[in-house]
């Protein structure tokens, strides 16, 4: 089974980088919070405000401090041990 993860990297004008991970439906479809964040950066009315990411790790970003952002899509594959592999381990 595969789990899709998207890591949003937010580069701040002060040189810091915020890394915010998100679960995703598919590697080629952005998480809705990432889309909303990128849209807020491009919106002249919202670009002077803060953006709050919701979830297990709430993150508040002051949008005027953002100099760049990118998204990395990752795939986590779970390795299931078969009965034969378990027997080989037991030896």
């Amino acid at each position: 089974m595969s789990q899709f993860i998207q890591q949003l990297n937010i580069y701040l004008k002060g040189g810091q980088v915020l890394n915010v991970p998100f679960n995703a439906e598919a590697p080629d479809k952005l998480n809705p919070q990432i889309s909303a964040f990128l849209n807020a950066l491009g919106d002249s009315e919202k670009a002077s405000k803060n953006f709050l990411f919701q979830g297990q790790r709430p993150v508040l970003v002051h949008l005027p401090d953002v100099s760049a952002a990118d998204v990395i899509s990752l795939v986590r594959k779970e390795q299931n041990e078969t009965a034969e592999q378990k027997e080989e381990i037991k030896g």
Side-chain angles (χ1 to χ4, degrees):
M1 184 173 154
S2 297
Q3 178 184 13
F4 301 110
I5 299 169
Q6 293 174 340
Q7 179 175 302
L8 173 63
N9 300 313
I10 303 169
Y11 302 91
L12 302 177
K13 292 178 181 174
Q16 305 90 341
V17 180
L18 295 173
N19 301 314
V20 188
F22 295 92
N23 289 325
E25 293 178 23
D28 58 346
K29 183 178 179 187
L30 285 179
N31 177 288
Q33 289 194 71
I34 295 174
S35 292
F37 174 75
L38 296 175
N39 289 337
L41 283 176
D43 185 329
S44 59
E45 288 182 19
K46 294 179 182 177
S48 63
K49 299 180 180 179
N50 295 325
F51 189 91
L52 177 63
F53 292 102
Q54 305 280 341
Q56 285 183 323
R57 178 184 169 206
V59 177
L60 181 66
V61 178
H62 186 62
L63 296 178
D65 292 338
V66 175
S67 62
D70 67 14
V71 179
I72 299 172
S73 293
L74 307 166
V75 179
R76 175 190 282 165
K77 294 183 180 181
E78 292 183 18
Q79 184 177 6
N80 294 329
E81 290 184 331
T82 64
E84 290 175 2
Q85 289 173 327
K86 290 180 182 177
E87 288 299 319
E88 288 177 16
I89 293 172
K90 290 180 184 177

